[in-house]
Amino acid sequence: MSHDLFEAARAAMAKCHAPYSKFPVGAALRTEDGRVFAGANIENASYPEGWCAETTALSHYVMAGGGRITEIAVVAEKMAKITPCGGCRQRLAEFSGPDTKLHLCDDTGVVKTVTMAEILPLGFRGDVLK
Ligand code: THU
């Protein structure tokens, strides 16, 4: 059920550190065995040192041992249907498959669902480095 993933993303968003942009973002992802990892954007007075909500969620996921990601939810309180930035699309693709669902949310729940293949077509894949 994707609504609980939205709720996890929204709860994470409330913990953001975004005093500079004042643009809170939350992200949550679920692995096929049902674990959920969430995160918020964490900014820094040295602006380029901040990072996105998706990146925080991925950090929790990697530290917990990873696994196959089945779905991801992203929410921003000031924007309906926020889509991950280019860098986060690449980071999410590192651990997702082309069919992994990405739920774009507003403040009430999922508004639109796309796949990773749709959000990052022709992305760079690590296969060529092997
Ligand atoms: N942000 C995210 O957390 N995820 C995105 O996909 C887009 C942007 C954050 C970064 C920054 O803290 C704020 O939104 C404004 O760019």
Side-chain angles (χ1 to χ4, degrees):
M1 186 44 204
S2 54
H3 194 75
D4 70 303
L5 204 60
F6 158 71
E7 296 282 11
R10 188 168 61 175
M13 180 172 67
K15 297 179 182 172
C16 76
H17 177 69
Y20 308 106
S21 72
K22 298 182 173 54
F23 191 82
V25 183
L29 59 90
R30 192 189 332 266
T31 54
E32 66 181 339
D33 55 4
R35 291 169 298 145
V36 169
F37 302 99
N41 49 336
I42 302 176
E43 298 180 350
N44 192 279
S46 177
Y47 294 172
E49 303 307 326
W51 64 82
C52 292
E54 297 89 332
T55 302
T56 307
L58 280 171
S59 301
H60 288 297
Y61 153 86
V62 171
M63 290 299 97
R68 198 173 79 80
I69 298 175
T70 55
E71 52 181 338
I72 303 160
V74 190
V75 63
E77 65 181 31
K78 292 183 176 171
M79 182 183 172
K81 278 195 299 184
I82 182 172
T83 50
C85 76
C88 285
R89 292 177 199 205
Q90 186 70 27
R91 291 191 189 99
L92 292 169
E94 180 77 17
F95 303 102
S96 304
D99 297 330
T100 301
K101 292 184 198 136
L102 176 66
H103 305 297
L104 314 176
C105 306
D106 68 9
D107 58 352
T108 63
V110 176
V111 175
K112 184 177 170 75
T113 299
V114 297
T115 64
M116 282 303 300
E118 288 171 319
I119 205 87
L120 186 65
L122 304 176
F124 183 75
R125 306 285 312 182
D127 322 32
V128 295
L129 303 175
K130 287 174 185 156

